[in-house]
Structures are given as structure tokens and as C-alpha cells.
Amino acid sequence: MSAVLNSLIHHETDVDTQHRALRFLTAGSVDDGKSTLIGRLLFDSRAILADQLDTLEKRAAGAPIDLSLLTDGLEAEREQGITIDVAYRYFATRTRKFIIADAPGHEQYTRNMVTAAAGSDAAVVLVDITKLDLEQAEVTLLPQTRRHSLLAHLLRVPSIVFAINKIDALVHPAEGYAKVSRALRQFAEEAGIEVQAIVPVSALRGDNVTQPLESNWYQGPSLLQVLESLPTVQEKVEGRLAIPVQYVATNGDGTGHQPRTLWGRIAHGQVQAGDEIQILPSGQKARVVEVRKAGSTVAQVVAGESAGVLLDRQLDASRGDWIVTPGSSEPTNAFEATLAWLDTEAAQVGRKYWVRHGNRWVQARITAIEHKVDIHTLQEADAHELAVNEIGHVRIETQQPLPVEPYAANRVGGALIVVDPTTNRTSGALLVR
Amino acid sequence: MSQQISESHLNHLEEEAIFILREVAASFERPALLFSGGKDSCVVLRLAEKAFKNRVAGNEFSGRLPFPLLHVDTGHNFPEVIAFRDQRVAEMGERLVVGHLEDSMARGTVRLSHPLESRNGHQTVTLLEAIEEHRFDCLIGGARRDEEKARAKERIFSHRDSFGQWQPKEQRPELWNLFNTRIRPGEHFRAFPISNWTELDVWLYIARENIPLPSLYYAHERSVIRRKGLLVPLTEVTPPEAGELVETATVRFRTVGDMTCTCPVESSALNASDIVAETLTVTVSERGATRMDDRTSEASMERRKKEGYF
């Protein structure tokens, strides 16, 4: 980077420890204040520019501006006052960049949450405190709070944060916050959810969103401080190598020699010249003679980066294959998985679908639905099919063996999508168990 | 605006974009890269060089991209930009396909209601005609989600039906990096490798990589007309209206589109680093400062995209 940019970096930045932006999703039902909260984060971090604000002021016609309108980007959404689809928003503070996956809390909540959660580092679950009966000795949480948290947990979003919203509406916020926190902690413990933080906020007034709450009853961090401290998912650089081959380039050098570069983003491990590798599923072995990155030869390429690998012999290797440490992985054509169904046409046992694992498309079928999961309670129930927004535990059989890994151990090796061969719709998400 | 500037963040964005570009090359039979000479498409072009070419002596790239470049020329582009486009394409030895809006007018598929009407909206017709003629199945574009609210909703791999239309309610969920690029004959995709970049990221990258751009992006003197809070450049297609004063201002363009709808901003920034510093303190969005056509309706971009606009 140029000296000018370096000086800008030192001038503008306190720390630069993060490899990349923190991606987080927000979960909450209609009217819980989710859009207002996102609007508040964008507004207070000055991600909203004058002309965008101007539009809102015109629409407010003298009344206080409605921050929730910042996130409704589609015509139908403005007409109906709802959010239809996942949108991505960007903002930055002095220490970090953020990408919000803004998933609507509407009817199709599961489908949208699954989409937003895949690849997210964190989830902010919004709890509308005005909807809870605080008179009870033990506060009963709303079903959607349980549902959103359990879904985030099931999809293994690494960090879960509760934001208790609308505290400005309470006469005794301290008491309400204490009671709801207790209920949330108890629920999380029963469900096995690790809670990163429980933060009281008023998205409407801006209390404790980006500016800490000045009160005698809460001395904890603001929501933004919590977000600034959360870890991003780190790729595993140590240990065995796994690269899904994405693209094969033939680099003729004019001498008739046609070396092939196998390009792929490293799922885990690292690679350098001299390493012995194995191609899956064929099992052929070879030695790496050169490693490339973005047009140049480099000493080493690590997890998260795309490596160009040249081998010491001409092997039959193409898109969809994997480059791995010899003997480290055993491909299989039958495995168990959690299936989140996204399509209005129900998942059928026995029907052939396309699935994508890494860079390989293969035909597959669901051989059995062991049970479906009640996402209110995580209780298991018998099922013959999975309808839209349902989640089940299934057995999958694939036409070719795949080197799948448990999703909990590695997202790249453990995630698959299911595509309907008739409509080409993305019908489901598979997480290998 | 205080913002984090992070080298590692820029590296991550670059990795992601290169991954998407290779995904296009591997998944489609006849892709093309939309290249207008604008800053976003110049960034995408550099990313494509990194994805597919080799660095040789002097740090130059050798080889050719695995797809042609495509430009839709409305006939109202800034001459500096067209000259830059042709020069870059020649230097790099790439193939350029140009779709001329005037050809669509000759065919009768584009009809203007008056001669000086903005041709920006009409270019969709020419774009779709070029897609059909060359049977392109994926177009790589430099759109960013921070540009506009409808763009924020669009997928990285965006499916278009056989009419070239975007169906916001029918978008395929995008899970992990497992893009669903399955397609039927006649349909196509738009792929956006720099979806997750912001205007600031683009300028940081231009500065870091020394990416050449048309001179319009940097401060220069230009005859302008002040109209409705915008600086309208004086051109043969944007003459002054009765009573309007033509003045000279020191300006640069934040975005270069059709001459009839693109406005410069006042600036003394002479290079990409100056613009990075300026972007850190900017208070008006890229489109708000520069586009006449987006102001007509809050949904104008969405409506145009549904018709097949890029």
C-alpha cells in the first residue's frame, strides 16, 4: 500500500486487528423495531448521507423522521410497509467495518433467516420488552424470541446477542431489564445457547445503541461496543489441507508445454511448493511444484485465500475435485444432515435433486426424514415430508461420493445447497451432522 | 466520517471478488464483462486481470481474459471516456463488443419522445439485444450494494428470466459461497463481484493498485450550469435553459454515465489518494450528488432493473 494510504490508515484507525468486516444478521418480528434499530446504527454511525436523510425528512413532513424507512428498499415494501427480502447494509466505525444481513421477520422468517445466517459471524436477536408480561414472577418469552434464537443456534451462528428493545417505554426499566435477562439466560441455558451479551436499548431514542446508556442500573457496553468486540469466523490455517478446485487454467507458454493451474479457495490448511497432495475423489497423489496467488508465484497460500496449485505431474483433476493432504479425508455417498427447507414445494423422500458441495454439483436424494424439528422447542416429531420453513434431520444419498465433514467442524466441507431440477430454485440448505 | 481503513479488509474484498470472477468463468459458457470505462468497471477489470492473467517482468499482466468486454454506448457518453475505453482495450489486447443505442434506434426498437431525451433508460433495450445477439449467459457488472436501495437487495449472482428481467420476489437465496448458477436456455445471470464494496473501498483500491481512470474523475475546469442543486455539465445535449448562467468551476466526476444525466461535484482532488481523503468526509451519496435520473422517483432504479437495466 502506498505511503499516502499508510498515513491515512494511521491517522484514521485505532486498531486494525480484524481480517475482515463483521457480518451479522438481525432477527426480530414485525413491529419489534428491527428496521428502526438498523436505521439507528446507520444513522448514528453516519452511514446515512445528507440526500438520503433529505428524502426521509420530506416524507416525515415536519414530524420526527422514521429511521425504519432507511432499510425498505423495494417499492412493494414501501407500499405494504413490510420487508420482503434480505438486504445488505454497510457501516463502519473507527475500529471496524460491518455488513448487516437485514432479514425480514415476516411469515417466511425461517427461509430468510437461514439465508442471512449462512456465513454470518453473529446474530442480534431483538426482544420487544413491551410485548412481555412483566407482572409475572417469571417472565414468559415470546415464541418468536425462542424461535429466532434456536434457529441461529441450529445454524451455528457463532455469537448470539440479545437486544432488549423499547426500554424507553417502561416506567421501571431496571426491573424489566433484570427480569427479562433472567428469563433469557434460563432459556439459553436449557437450549445450550451460549449468550455473548444481553443489551438494553431504545432504537427509537438511540439509547445504548451506539452511545452507552447513562444510568445507575446498567453499566454494561452499548450494542455497538458489543458488536465491535465480537470475533469473525477464522479459517483454520493449521492442520490438514482442503481445497475445492474451482477453476482450471491452462497456461500455454508458447513451447508446447501446457501446465495446468488448479485454482480454489482454501477451506482449511495451507499449501506450498514441495507439499504432497491427493486429488479426491480419484485418490491420485502428486507433489506441488508451484503456488500462485492473483497472477504471481508466492511462497505459501493459507486458508481463506485462493491458491493456484501447479503439480509435478499431469493428473486428471477438474472443477469439483478436492486437493487434500493424503489420507485425510474419506469421501462418502451417504450421510446425515440437518435440512432447512426453503421452497414452497415440499421436500420429498426419493425424489432426485441437485446438490452442490464445494464446487461440485451431483444428483442426490433424501433417503429418509428421521424427524422434523419443532423450532419453538427443538423437540423432534415424525414427518414424511418437509414443508417450506421446516427443518428436519435427514439421510442423504449422493450419486458420487463427496468428502463431507461435520458442519460444526468446518463450514466449507459441511454445507450443501439443494436445487430443484425442474425449477432451478434453491430449495434447501444442508448442514452435515 | 471516521472510518476504519484496513488493508486486510481490502485484501478480503479482493479475494471475494476474484473468487466470484472465477466462478463465472467456470460456470458459464459465454460470459462477458461490462466495461464502460467508469471507475467501478475499471476496478472489476483489474480484478479480472488478477484472476486470469499472469504477472510478467515489470509487473505487467500477460495473456487474455477468458471472456470479451461489452459496452453499451448510448451515443451520449463523454468523449474522454470513450477514448479511454478504446485505449485501455487496445493496451490490454482484449476483445470489446459495443452495442450502439443508435443501432436500436435505427431498428426501431428504441424510440425517443424528443431528440434530447435522456438515453440512459433506453440502453436496457440495446443491452438485451446485445445479450441475445451474442448469446451471453452471464454479464459481469461493477454494481455495488451501497449505491442505491434496490441494489442493496440484489444477489451477487442475480438471475434474469428469458425477458432479461429481474424478479425481486423470486431471488434465489444465497447461502455461503455455494452459488446456484443453474440456468435454462434463454435466461442469463448478472454477476456482481464488488457487491460488498463501498465507494471508499473502490477509491482505496484504485489508489493501491494504481488503476488508470478517465481524466474526468480528477479535478479539472469545466463549464457548468447550476440547476436544482446539481452542477449540470455544459454539453451539446445539455444546453442552458432560458435565463441560466454558464460558469466555470473546478470539478470532478464521482460517477460517469450518460452525459444527459451525470453531474460533477466541486473538487480539487488531483489523484486517487486525494479522493480517498475527500470520500472520508463526504456528506452526499454518490447518486444523490451526481444523478439527475434517480431523483424522479424513489423506485426509479428498481423499476428500471425489473425491465432488465443493469
Side-chain angles (χ1 to χ4, degrees):
Chain A
M1 180 162 288
S2 73
V4 178
L5 290 184
N6 261 326
S7 70
L8 276 170
I9 285 169
H10 291 143
H11 172 66
E12 288 291 331
T13 310
D14 294 338
V15 281
D16 177 16
T17 52
Q18 300 306 326
H19 180 58
R20 56 178 174 83
L22 184 89
R23 291 171 184 250
F24 69 96
L25 74 126
T26 49
S29 294
V30 189
D31 301 330
D32 284 358
K34 196 163 59 65
S35 294
T36 309
L37 181 73
I38 294 170
R40 174 61 65 185
L41 280 168
L42 299 177
F43 182 76
D44 285 0
S45 62
R46 300 183 55 202
I48 308 303
L49 297 170
D51 54 313
Q52 297 162 328
L53 211 54
D54 194 43
T55 310
L56 291 188
E57 276 167 357
K58 273 188 197 132
R59 280 167 65 182
I65 59 165
D66 181 353
L67 291 175
S68 71
L69 297 175
L70 284 169
T71 58
D72 288 336
L74 298 176
E75 217 171 6
E77 294 180 320
R78 285 190 294 275
E79 279 161 18
Q80 299 166 38
I82 59 160
T83 321
I84 290 170
D85 208 334
V86 182
Y88 297 88
R89 314 282 167 195
Y90 305 80
F91 71 100
T93 65
R94 285 189 73 80
T95 56
R96 204 167 208 188
K97 285 193 181 249
F98 296 93
I99 301 174
I100 311 176
D102 175 10
H106 236 254
E107 320 148 46
Q108 303 137 322
Y109 52 83
T110 308
R111 188 189 133 92
N112 291 312
M113 249 192 83
V114 170
T115 305
S120 275
D121 302 301
V124 175
V125 178
L126 216 59
V127 179
D128 182 349
I129 201 166
T130 63
K131 287 186 186 154
L132 299 175
D133 180 2
L134 301 174
E135 299 300 316
Q136 291 179 324
E138 298 290 328
V139 174
T140 308
L141 298 171
L142 291 180
Q144 67 256 32
T145 301
R146 302 173 62 93
R147 195 159 61 217
H148 293 151
S149 323
L150 291 171
L151 253 175
H153 179 57
L154 197 63
L155 297 166
R156 297 188 184 276
V157 178
S159 301
I160 296 177
V161 174
F162 290 105
I164 303 180
N165 193 22
K166 305 190 187 174
I167 47 155
D168 57 305
L170 298 192
V171 183
H172 303 293
E175 208 177 297
Y177 170 68
K179 275 191 153 181
V180 176
S181 295
R182 201 158 55 233
L184 285 169
R185 286 199 191 282
Q186 196 185 337
F187 154 68
E189 201 183 310
E190 283 164 15
I193 299 172
E194 196 187 327
V195 182
Q196 294 294 321
I198 302 176
V199 186
V201 297
S202 164
L204 191 68
R205 266 201 336 219
D207 296 345
N208 209 35
V209 178
T210 59
Q211 297 303 315
L213 192 67
E214 284 174 21
S215 75
N216 53 12
W217 59 271
Y218 180 81
Q219 276 83 39
S222 68
L223 179 61
L224 188 61
Q225 283 172 325
V226 170
L227 292 172
E228 283 180 332
S229 71
L230 293 177
T232 53
V233 174
Q234 294 298 321
E235 283 87 4
K236 284 188 194 134
V237 174
E238 302 303 322
R240 66 209 162 82
L241 173 73
I243 309 175
V245 177
Q246 185 192 15
Y247 179 75
V248 180
T250 307
N251 320 100
D253 58 2
T255 62
H257 182 53
Q258 295 277 313
R260 280 152 41 99
T261 310
L262 309 175
W263 285 101
R265 207 162 187 185
I266 306 181
H268 45 79
Q270 47 187 283
V271 62
Q272 56 200 358
D275 288 353
E276 199 189 13
I277 58 92
Q278 188 172 26
I279 302 288
L280 295 180
S282 73
Q284 299 161 289
K285 288 180 187 167
R287 201 166 284 282
V288 175
V289 292
E290 190 183 340
V291 180
R292 304 183 69 83
K293 201 191 153 182
S296 304
T297 300
V298 292
Q300 190 183 53
V301 173
V302 303
E305 300 177 322
S306 287
V309 177
L310 284 93
L311 302 175
D312 65 347
R313 65 201 76 174
Q314 193 84 334
L315 293 185
D316 177 17
S318 55
R319 176 172 164 89
D321 290 348
W322 288 69
I323 302 169
V324 299
T325 306
S328 66
S329 198
E330 197 57 57
T332 173
N333 59 2
F335 56 90
E336 290 179 33
T338 300
L339 172 60
W341 199 250
L342 315 171
D343 202 331
T344 44
E345 198 172 314
Q348 279 176 15
V349 174
R351 189 172 168 227
K352 280 183 196 145
Y353 294 96
W354 285 108
V355 298
R356 180 175 177 169
H357 176 249
N359 298 316
R360 169 156 281 141
W361 288 100
V362 296
Q363 289 217 307
R365 62 182 147 233
I366 304 162
T367 51
I369 298 174
E370 308 265 292
H371 45 251
K372 68 178 177 188
V373 182
D374 182 333
I375 48 170
H376 301 70
T377 60
L378 286 197
Q379 296 297 307
E380 296 169 352
D382 285 345
H384 300 291
E385 58 171 38
L386 290 178
V388 63
N389 293 320
E390 289 191 326
I391 291 181
H393 292 155
V394 297
R395 286 177 178 277
I396 300 289
E397 186 183 60
T398 57
Q399 189 257 334
Q400 290 172 50
L402 301 173
V404 294
E405 299 174 52
Y407 183 77
N410 187 277
R411 283 185 178 191
V412 182
L416 300 91
I417 56 168
V418 182
V419 172
D420 187 306
T422 311
T423 61
N424 281 340
R425 284 202 293 259
T426 304
S427 301
L430 280 165
L431 289 77
V432 179
R433 285 162 73 80
Chain B
M1 193 188 302
S2 67
Q3 284 225 349
Q4 189 208 25
I5 300 179
S6 148
E7 174 78 25
S8 56
H9 175 66
L10 217 50
N11 287 340
H12 184 80
L13 290 174
E14 182 186 67
E15 280 289 344
E16 182 180 66
I18 289 174
F19 177 84
I20 293 161
L21 285 161
R22 293 199 183 115
E23 195 66 14
V24 171
S27 307
F28 295 94
E29 284 173 24
R30 299 175 69 88
L33 189 154
L34 287 163
F35 181 66
S36 62
K39 68 177 188 308
D40 297 314
S41 63
C42 286
V43 164
V44 175
L45 190 58
R46 169 58 51 89
L47 290 162
E49 288 186 299
K50 286 200 167 189
F52 301 109
K53 295 188 178 187
N54 292 320
R55 295 263 198 196
V56 290
N59 222 16
E60 292 297 307
F61 289 99
S62 74
R64 195 185 239 193
L65 298 178
F67 36 68
L69 312 182
L70 171 65
H71 182 224
V72 175
D73 189 343
T74 61
H76 282 173
N77 286 292
F78 289 96
E80 298 95 322
V81 178
I82 296 296
F84 172 86
R85 177 199 77 184
D86 292 341
Q87 187 199 331
R88 282 301 289 149
V89 169
E91 282 166 3
M92 292 186 302
E94 296 301 333
R95 292 160 288 165
L96 175 72
V97 176
V98 180
H100 292 278
L101 195 122
E102 271 146 19
D103 292 343
S104 303
M105 286 160 64
R107 277 191 288 269
T109 48
V110 166
R111 290 175 196 200
L112 301 180
S113 53
H114 60 92
L116 288 190
E117 181 187 1
S118 171
R119 296 178 178 183
N120 194 45
H122 292 297
Q123 63 180 305
T124 300
V125 173
T126 311
L127 175 66
L128 294 177
E129 285 172 353
I131 291 169
E132 208 161 311
E133 182 190 342
H134 297 277
R135 293 185 289 119
F136 292 130
D137 51 8
C138 183
L139 293 187
I140 301 157
R144 311 187 318 267
R145 285 176 177 147
D146 80 324
E147 279 178 75
E148 207 273 337
K149 289 202 285 186
R151 291 239 200 260
K153 296 271 174 179
E154 192 164 9
R155 299 285 181 258
I156 289 172
F157 278 86
S158 183
H159 181 254
R160 301 297 166 112
D161 64 20
S162 58
F163 288 89
Q165 302 208 335
W166 181 54
Q167 305 282 0
K169 292 186 189 176
E170 298 288 321
Q171 295 202 84
R172 297 176 179 179
E174 229 154 61
L175 300 152
W176 303 286
N177 281 327
L178 299 175
F179 300 111
N180 173 5
T181 50
R182 303 192 77 85
I183 200 166
R184 271 193 285 251
E187 301 174 341
H188 73 276
F189 266 86
R190 307 281 169 95
F192 303 110
I194 61 168
S195 279
N196 287 325
W197 298 43
T198 62
E199 186 185 10
L200 179 65
D201 296 325
V202 164
W203 280 111
L204 282 166
Y205 196 71
I206 289 166
R208 184 179 94 172
E209 300 282 318
N210 286 317
I211 297 174
L213 292 186
S215 58
L216 292 185
Y217 279 107
Y218 303 111
H220 58 284
E221 292 208 328
R222 179 173 289 271
S223 298
V224 296
I225 307 148
R226 291 184 193 271
R227 187 184 294 163
K228 295 180 204 160
L230 294 172
L231 290 177
V232 177
L234 180 70
T235 67
E236 76 259 21
V237 290
T238 51
E241 287 168 12
E244 281 184 331
L245 187 74
V246 176
E247 55 186 292
T248 304
T250 305
V251 298
R252 70 173 172 90
F253 284 84
R254 278 171 81 181
T255 165
V256 294
D258 206 61
M259 279 194 295
T260 54
C261 64
T262 311
C263 298
V265 294
E266 289 191 289
S267 169
S268 56
L270 294 171
N271 54 48
S273 297
D274 288 352
I275 295 176
V276 167
E278 219 173 75
T279 307
L280 283 165
T281 58
V282 74
T283 60
V284 179
S285 78
E286 189 175 306
R287 292 199 158 256
T290 60
R291 297 303 285 260
M292 292 177 247
D293 54 333
D294 287 336
R295 299 191 150 198
T296 46
S297 149
E298 268 198 73
S300 52
M301 169 70 89
E302 181 189 349
R303 286 196 194 125
R304 288 207 305 267
K305 283 174 82 75
K306 280 187 193 162
E307 289 159 12
Y309 185 74
F310 144 77

